[in-house]
Amino acid sequence: MKDNNYQKTFLRLEIGGHTSEITELLVTSDGKQIITSSVDKTIRIWDVASSKEIAKILGQIDTGASGVIRAMALSPDDKYLIAAVYTGPGHQSNSPPYDPNDVLIRIYDFQTRDLVRVFAPGNTNVIISLDMSSDGKYLVAGSDDSTIKIWDFPKLMSTEESPKPFKELSDDPLISRPKGLKIVNHEDDYRLIIADFGEYNNQVYIYSFNQDKFIASDKLGEQGVWLEYISVSDDFIAVCGDSHEITIYNLDLEVIKKLASEPNPVDVIFSPDGNYLLVGTTETPDNHPFFCQVFDVKKDFKLITKFKGHDAKTQAVEFVDNQTAISCGGNKKEILTWNILTGEIKDKIEPVGSTIYALGIDGKRIAFGFSQDFKKDENNYAPLEKVFDLEDFTITDLDTKDQKNFKRARIEKDGEVLYIDPDSTWDLFLIRDNSNYYRMWRDGGWYYHEVYSFTDDNMIVTGGRGGEVRAYTRDGYTQSKFIGHAGKVWDLATQGNWMVTGGVEQVVKLWNLDQLKNGEGEIFPMLNFFFSTEGEWVVWSQSGFYHASTKGDKYVGYHINQGEIEEALFYTSDRFIKSLFRPDVIKAIIETGSEKAALAKLNLSEAAEVTNILPPKVIYKGPLVHSTDQHTYQLSWSVDSSNEQATRTWILRNDEFYWQLSQKDGKVEGDHRLTIDLLPGTNTIKILAESIISKSNPITITIDANIPKIEKRGGMDLSSPSNNLVEVEPNLYLLSIGVSIYNPSARVKNLNFAHSDAQQVNSSFNKQGGKLFNTVSSKLIINQEATKKGILEAVDWMKKEITSREKNKKDNKQVSRDIAVVFMAGHGIKKDDKFYFLNHDCDLDDLENTAISLLDLGEVITSFSSEIVIFTDACHAGKISSDLAELIDSKELNKRLNAINERAQIILNATTAGKPAYESKDEQRGIFTGMLLEGLKDREEVTILHLADFVSYNVKKKTKKFPGGAQTPILTIYGSLDNYEIYKNDDNT
């Protein structure tokens, strides 16, 4: 068994579901969990009741098709999960027969998810079907090498020797490609019922264990009926494939009925009681509709339901119970739970990505589309819908008037035409002078040309299934291979020296065609893009540097092989924000055309190998879900360092900071125990750890505390023996900082109203004492008082106030929703990849020692055990000197602030990158602060989200006609955050 990919790392999407076609769908015996596998090389386990993923199983993978899970089976007692995996090279470099060591069967303990056995069954082609007998006695596997192997499963699991099949069926004229495969107990005999996927066989046949021979067969239709799906009930066999028909047999393989199917059927399954038959649907270019079908078996297989919940191919179907279906598919690879009698959707698991069907380029803009649109013309053009701007990194809707500006795939150029000839196995041809024909040879075992185009420099590029993207010479031979895709490429577009490609993997890749002109045989993408359907995005380079929207970096991560006998590791890219989040590198790649040139321009080295910057591991010692009637719970965990020593471990409770231990306080590595106070109801506890270069995945524990609900103050006698918590009025903690006047030696331009903005915010919130809040504790630091020492002392004061309050509440069994508000107005700049707020006594020549580090400040603020709201009018309040520093990108600053503790918080910045923050001379204040104060008066009870929305909307509206362009505040909400009240008005306010 090979193990030469140990610790090899791959960038992979993680978008809340599968990113490619789902290959198998299983349901546990109690109907409470479902299991899915995919071409994306993952196995995912889902909780049916909550529609949430509860586990993900990862194994060793490589480029191309290596690591794809082709089939799965679950033992009838739900103890073992069996997966058939192909681990050899993809179509780019190899065709069958494969090395027998490239085909593996992995066996997992389903309850613990541990990999307990891996073996190579010795097949010379991929395993395409798995099944297990209802008593767990036999495991059967069908392979593309025309073999069927049967193992005595208990014996297989009890021996350490290389398992040999109990029986192997091969060299039989009936067996071609046994893709549909079921093992059943019938008349005291085990029988295999097989549907053959072979183009010429297209047969259904039955093998008897007792008689050790095939006892029945039936040939379906003419040549080309590819049979793929089979289901067996107590009375019937249902078979379907590449035709608009489902054949029903009895258990002796006598035809009972043929069901016409308007859509081409995909997958077929009987309900547990055998009363219903559920069928999925495939995608077709001939205008057939998409819908799943339900047939009533007791009513002579009458069609009773057409389910239209998916917008594309249904890849797999199953029953949760006798009247509840699960179906997987559509452009988003969603998983739907629905009632088979009414078609009503009960629940939905929907990833945030979608297949890329359309692409276009216009300068430094990429247009893309998520909608499928079959047409009877070349390249099956789908509509462009969205635009991603590579200069300001924003996604917007594509204006219909703007469509014509985008270059797409071109099939005609300078009198030459590209076309597909369906009579020559769908090969691509170049026609020259209406007479000379040149074939684009599909050498190397890959599939059809799906999309093709001329480039501006008269080259030919084409893409297709299996992730193939190639450039051809004029006489039809491969010149270069574009390496990076693994799934079907649906569209490409070229302009100048750029090409973009995309497809089922939901990733857009940007290529530099200068490498093609330079004669390079293998070309790798300049950049990779993921665009979520919710507007988030992430861009990454070949070596792993990335840039992302507010929450986009959680959608891509690093899969790290740990060998064939160990589960792989996976870390989302936000775990490495300290090391690999480099917007400047991504921008430089766009400017220079390559990562190498970009790093040279920035005087940087290549990205560190992820295996060299792995974060500490948090190992939790206890159940992940727990119920208790106690008011406290003891957590036990350990921290193990990887490449760098662990510097800190900390805990969040319900997305608020609860506790931490850093190196200066004690030893971080090793075992830890902590008794944590519980609140009534659900307590979501997260345990994390970090080093100086990376951060662990959070361990999330859910504890349901069945303790008495909180009672309002005055509702009980605190001296009573009851342990009830008492809810008291919240406190507000306010820090207002404003710097308009700078020390002359600082060489910083003075501002007009930053100090008065801080004064007005301080005055307004102080009116809430004795009203919405029990007390308001505030500090105002402006101008000459706002030195580095003065600001740090004020933040320390705020921390002590909140800490003291928390101790007092704990001692008195009280709870309250206290809020900490920090307002900052002044200059903010970025220099040497660090963010600074310019205090009164700063020195531009020595910012590190004289200015306030916004991230150091954020480290303290985000550790407050209260709700946190940060208002900053400190990013672009006035230009200083572009040769000394750059203006702060608010989105980048917010991301880095959140990354410190990953807790719930609201950050509202006055403006976005490159846009001015205006001041109003008439109102004697900044426009941002003015709208903040107006928002506090907007209604009787002002919630935090209403205030943020009010400020964002009205600042932009008020400044949209200003000569410098509209000022656009940036609102960022992190974590699980309720829309709590922050201000209350009455006649005296």
Side-chain angles (χ1 to χ4, degrees):
M1 194 178 302
K2 308 185 308 295
D3 212 12
N4 55 350
N5 287 321
Y6 178 69
Q7 288 211 326
K8 193 170 182 179
T9 302
F10 301 86
L11 273 155
R12 310 275 290 163
L13 287 182
E14 180 49 61
I15 59 175
H18 289 294
T19 60
S20 197
E21 185 171 357
I22 293 169
T23 56
E24 192 81 67
L25 168 63
L26 304 174
V27 178
T28 55
S29 59
D30 59 8
K32 292 183 178 180
Q33 295 178 16
I34 62 174
I35 309 143
T36 54
S37 62
S38 170
V39 174
D40 69 11
K41 310 176 186 181
T42 68
I43 297 172
R44 296 171 188 263
I45 303 170
W46 312 84
D47 178 71
V48 173
S50 64
S51 289
K52 291 184 178 180
E53 182 182 304
I54 55 176
K56 180 169 57 195
I57 298 175
L58 303 175
Q60 179 145 307
I61 66 172
D62 206 338
T63 54
S66 180
V68 170
I69 295 95
R70 297 293 185 184
M72 289 194 304
L74 184 66
S75 64
D77 58 1
D78 298 335
K79 185 175 182 180
Y80 294 108
L81 177 66
I82 302 98
V85 188
Y86 168 65
T87 62
H91 287 290
Q92 294 94 330
S93 59
N94 192 31
S95 298
Y98 298 124
D99 183 332
N101 290 318
D102 291 340
V103 181
L104 298 178
I105 290 180
R106 295 173 181 158
I107 302 177
Y108 298 90
D109 182 316
F110 181 67
Q111 303 306 319
T112 65
R113 324 302 185 209
D114 292 334
L115 183 61
V116 294
R117 183 106 201 229
V118 180
F119 68 93
N123 291 91
T124 57
N125 210 322
V126 295
I127 291 175
I128 53 178
S129 54
L130 281 175
D131 196 35
M132 182 173 278
S133 59
S134 59
D135 57 4
K137 172 66 173 174
Y138 293 112
L139 173 68
V140 58
S143 171
D144 247 344
D145 63 6
S146 302
T147 66
I148 297 173
K149 296 184 179 182
I150 306 164
W151 290 272
D152 182 314
F153 190 70
K155 185 176 180 181
L156 183 155
M157 296 303 296
S158 64
T159 179
E160 295 182 1
E161 299 176 3
S162 179
K164 294 182 179 180
F166 158 76
K167 190 174 291 294
E168 181 172 346
L169 308 178
S170 60
D171 299 323
D172 191 288
L174 286 175
I175 304 174
S176 175
R177 303 177 69 191
K179 197 161 188 180
L181 182 62
K182 293 294 178 183
I183 181 170
V184 298
N185 297 80
H186 181 61
E187 298 179 349
D188 296 323
D189 185 12
Y190 291 99
R191 292 184 176 182
L192 290 181
I193 305 175
I194 304 131
D196 200 277
F197 192 64
E199 181 179 5
Y200 299 99
N201 277 13
N202 49 76
Q203 296 190 76
V204 183
Y205 38 100
I206 298 178
Y207 172 82
S208 165
F209 278 39
N210 286 350
Q211 300 179 52
D212 192 18
K213 67 178 183 179
F214 291 99
I215 60 174
S217 66
D218 183 50
K219 190 176 181 69
L220 281 180
E222 302 299 324
Q223 176 181 328
V225 180
W226 302 73
L227 300 180
E228 188 170 0
Y229 308 101
I230 187 168
S231 183
V232 182
S233 70
D234 290 340
D235 301 305
F236 299 107
I237 301 168
V239 176
C240 62
D242 190 21
S243 69
H244 294 279
E245 189 174 73
I246 304 153
T247 302
I248 307 298
Y249 298 94
N250 63 19
L251 296 186
D252 293 319
L253 211 62
E254 296 169 338
V255 176
I256 301 299
K257 194 176 186 65
K258 290 184 180 289
L259 308 177
S261 175
E262 186 178 359
N264 210 36
V266 168
D267 207 2
V268 59
I269 188 76
F270 283 103
S271 59
D273 61 9
N275 290 337
Y276 299 99
L277 180 67
L278 170 63
V279 184
T281 176
T282 191
E283 56 196 19
T284 60
D286 50 2
N287 295 320
H288 281 288
F290 298 113
F291 56 81
C292 298
Q293 301 168 97
V294 180
F295 298 89
D296 190 324
V297 175
K298 299 297 185 182
K299 294 181 179 179
D300 195 28
F301 291 91
K302 178 184 177 181
L303 177 62
I304 59 171
T305 305
K306 294 180 178 180
F307 176 71
K308 301 179 180 180
H310 298 285
D311 60 358
K313 175 181 178 180
T314 306
Q315 296 153 3
V317 294
E318 253 289 2
F319 280 92
V320 174
D321 55 45
N322 287 318
Q323 293 192 357
T324 306
I326 292 274
S327 56
C328 309
N331 290 324
K332 294 185 177 181
K333 317 302 181 289
E334 67 270 6
I335 301 173
L336 304 182
T337 308
W338 49 281
N339 184 292
I340 64 167
L341 301 181
T342 65
E344 178 186 359
I345 296 176
K346 294 183 175 182
D347 224 328
K348 177 185 291 190
I349 299 169
E350 187 174 73
V352 297
S354 184
T355 298
I356 302 294
Y357 285 111
L359 286 167
I361 304 178
D362 175 36
K364 289 187 177 180
R365 298 192 302 160
I366 297 173
F368 59 95
F370 294 135
S371 301
Q372 191 174 21
D373 185 18
F374 284 112
K375 288 187 178 181
K376 299 293 182 64
D377 64 356
E378 274 75 15
N379 291 326
N380 286 324
Y381 278 167
L384 298 173
E385 299 166 329
K386 302 281 185 178
V387 178
F388 186 71
D389 193 306
L390 295 177
E391 292 187 321
D392 62 12
F393 291 86
T394 56
I395 296 177
T396 56
D397 292 332
L398 176 60
D399 191 316
T400 53
K401 297 178 181 178
D402 198 16
Q403 293 261 4
K404 64 182 183 298
N405 295 319
F406 286 88
K407 302 297 183 184
R408 303 198 63 179
R410 289 167 287 172
I411 64 171
E412 297 185 24
K413 193 173 188 299
D414 300 333
E416 297 179 327
V417 178
L418 294 170
Y419 89 108
I420 289 288
D421 182 2
D423 295 327
S424 63
T425 62
W426 296 90
D427 276 344
L428 176 65
F429 287 85
L430 168 69
I431 305 176
R432 185 180 302 157
D433 302 326
N434 293 320
S435 59
N436 295 320
Y437 292 75
Y438 298 88
R439 181 187 299 215
M440 307 298 114
W441 293 98
R442 293 184 284 118
D443 56 304
W446 70 291
Y447 296 107
Y448 310 137
H449 302 273
E450 303 283 351
V451 60
Y452 36 91
S453 176
F454 289 105
T455 71
D456 289 350
D457 292 320
N458 292 314
M459 301 175 197
I460 300 168
V461 287
T462 174
R465 304 182 196 183
E468 291 289 347
V469 181
R470 297 202 184 180
Y472 284 88
T473 60
R474 309 303 286 177
D475 52 2
Y477 290 95
T478 298
Q479 176 177 328
S480 299
K481 297 179 182 180
F482 295 83
I483 308 298
H485 286 292
K488 179 177 177 179
V489 176
W490 270 101
D491 201 12
L492 62 80
T494 70
Q495 184 184 51
N497 64 340
W498 279 9
M499 177 173 71
V500 287
T501 57
V504 297
E505 297 166 285
Q506 309 180 31
V507 174
V508 174
K509 294 184 182 293
L510 176 65
W511 314 83
N512 186 343
L513 295 181
D514 284 341
Q515 294 175 272
L516 178 59
K517 288 182 285 187
N518 294 336
E520 297 183 28
E522 289 190 342
I523 299 173
F524 294 89
M526 285 169 53
L527 291 172
N528 308 269
F529 302 82
F530 170 72
F531 307 119
S532 86
T533 53
E534 298 176 339
E536 300 286 347
W537 54 267
V538 57
V539 186
W540 66 96
S541 70
Q542 190 67 19
S543 68
F545 289 119
Y546 76 93
H547 187 15
S549 58
T550 301
K551 300 173 183 177
D553 45 4
K554 293 183 179 180
Y555 296 143
V556 69
Y558 304 87
H559 174 117
I560 306 165
N561 285 341
Q562 297 295 291
E564 280 291 1
I565 61 173
E566 297 289 340
E567 186 176 357
L569 302 176
F570 186 83
Y571 297 98
T572 50
S573 57
D574 62 343
R575 303 297 93 192
F576 304 95
I577 194 168
K578 295 180 178 180
S579 309
L580 299 177
F581 179 62
R582 293 301 299 259
D584 55 338
V585 173
I586 301 302
K587 293 174 183 177
I589 291 173
I590 294 169
E591 293 172 4
T592 64
S594 75
E595 184 172 4
K596 182 178 180 180
L599 296 177
K601 177 182 178 180
L602 298 172
N603 196 26
L604 295 172
S605 58
E606 292 183 358
E609 288 284 344
V610 172
T611 52
N612 293 330
I613 56 173
L614 291 179
K617 290 182 181 179
V618 175
I619 303 168
Y620 176 63
K621 302 171 182 177
L624 295 176
V625 179
H626 183 70
S627 295
T628 181
D629 57 3
Q630 301 298 308
H631 288 253
T632 61
Y633 187 77
Q634 188 175 75
L635 299 173
S636 296
W637 76 100
S638 62
V639 178
D640 288 349
S641 291
S642 294
N643 304 105
E644 292 286 340
Q645 189 176 28
T647 56
R648 184 169 67 116
T649 182
W650 72 102
I651 290 176
L652 305 177
R653 183 189 65 184
N654 293 346
D655 269 346
E656 288 186 3
F657 193 87
Y658 186 83
W659 173 92
Q660 77 168 1
L661 175 71
S662 63
Q663 273 184 326
K664 64 181 180 181
D665 303 315
K667 185 180 179 183
V668 176
E669 297 169 3
D671 296 333
H672 299 279
R673 284 191 176 188
L674 180 72
T675 299
I676 189 168
D677 298 303
L678 300 178
L679 298 175
T682 300
N683 294 256
T684 302
I685 312 299
K686 293 180 182 178
I687 308 175
L688 300 100
E690 68 178 359
S691 68
I692 60 172
I693 54 176
S694 55
K695 191 185 313 179
S696 73
N697 289 324
I699 298 293
T700 302
I701 305 107
T702 303
I703 304 170
D704 288 323
N706 302 311
I707 55 180
K709 298 295 183 182
I710 295 170
E711 296 189 11
K712 288 290 185 181
R713 183 174 52 177
M716 63 168 292
D717 180 4
L718 286 179
S719 63
S720 73
S722 170
N723 285 323
N724 285 13
L725 298 173
V726 178
E727 185 177 2
V728 297
E729 295 297 328
N731 284 357
L732 175 68
Y733 299 91
L734 174 67
L735 175 59
S736 299
I737 304 169
V739 186
S740 298
I741 300 173
Y742 291 88
N743 190 323
S745 63
R747 298 184 292 110
V748 177
K749 177 184 175 183
N750 286 339
L751 298 170
N752 295 315
F753 310 122
H755 69 291
S756 60
D757 285 350
Q759 288 172 324
Q760 292 180 67
V761 168
N762 181 72
S763 174
S764 184
F765 273 109
N766 266 292
K767 295 176 183 178
Q768 293 296 296
K771 192 179 297 184
L772 178 60
F773 299 99
N774 180 41
T775 62
V776 176
S777 300
S778 65
K779 265 199 184 298
L780 174 67
I781 309 291
I782 61 172
N783 290 338
Q784 287 85 351
E785 296 174 352
T787 62
K788 181 174 183 177
K789 181 174 182 291
I791 292 173
L792 293 178
E793 287 178 347
V795 173
D796 187 55
W797 160 83
M798 197 175 197
K799 181 177 182 178
K800 289 178 180 177
E801 287 283 307
I802 294 173
T803 302
S804 174
R805 162 76 162 174
E806 286 301 308
K807 183 179 184 305
N808 184 65
K809 288 192 297 184
K810 183 176 181 180
D811 291 343
N812 290 283
K813 296 186 175 65
Q814 297 173 341
V815 293
S816 65
R817 188 167 211 162
D818 298 335
I819 301 174
V821 175
V822 177
F823 176 87
M824 303 175 71
H827 280 303
I829 62 174
K830 179 182 178 184
K831 186 176 182 183
D832 299 330
D833 206 40
K834 295 182 180 179
F835 301 83
Y836 298 100
F837 178 78
L838 300 188
N839 37 281
H840 168 76
D841 57 338
C842 70
D843 182 348
L844 286 182
D845 293 327
D846 188 15
L847 290 172
E848 187 165 355
N849 292 310
T850 66
I852 294 287
S853 164
L854 283 168
L855 296 186
D856 288 348
L857 203 65
E859 187 173 337
V860 180
I861 293 171
T862 61
S863 69
F864 294 162
S865 53
S866 62
E867 303 287 1
I868 295 174
V869 183
I870 302 173
F871 299 110
T872 67
D873 196 351
C875 294
H876 312 289
K879 204 163 185 179
I880 303 169
S881 177
S882 59
D883 61 331
L884 292 173
E886 60 181 303
L887 299 177
I888 290 175
D889 183 331
S890 300
K891 295 179 181 178
E892 182 182 352
L893 173 61
N894 292 1
K895 183 184 290 292
R896 292 189 184 276
L897 284 172
N898 171 255
I900 295 170
N901 281 314
E902 299 189 3
R903 55 151 307 150
Q905 56 190 299
I906 280 187
I907 308 174
L908 184 59
N909 303 91
T911 188
T912 188
K915 297 293 184 179
Y918 298 107
E919 294 183 318
S920 171
K921 292 183 179 179
D922 293 337
E923 299 176 10
Q924 296 287 292
R925 62 191 182 190
I927 287 179
F928 172 78
T929 302
M931 285 303 169
L932 176 61
L933 297 172
E934 290 296 319
L936 294 176
K937 302 175 185 176
D938 185 55
R939 53 175 62 177
E940 184 177 342
E941 295 177 348
V942 181
T943 64
I944 183 60
L945 295 184
H946 172 75
L947 176 62
D949 288 342
F950 180 93
V951 173
S952 298
Y953 174 79
N954 285 286
V955 168
K956 188 174 181 179
K957 180 180 178 182
K958 187 170 183 176
T959 61
K960 68 179 181 179
K961 294 184 179 179
F962 282 24
Q967 177 179 338
T968 305
I970 298 299
L971 168 65
T972 312
I973 301 172
Y974 293 102
S976 176
L977 198 61
D978 293 337
N979 189 17
Y980 51 84
E981 194 174 350
I982 195 170
Y983 206 86
K984 192 169 186 176
N985 287 289
D986 56 29
D987 294 339
N988 298 319
T989 300

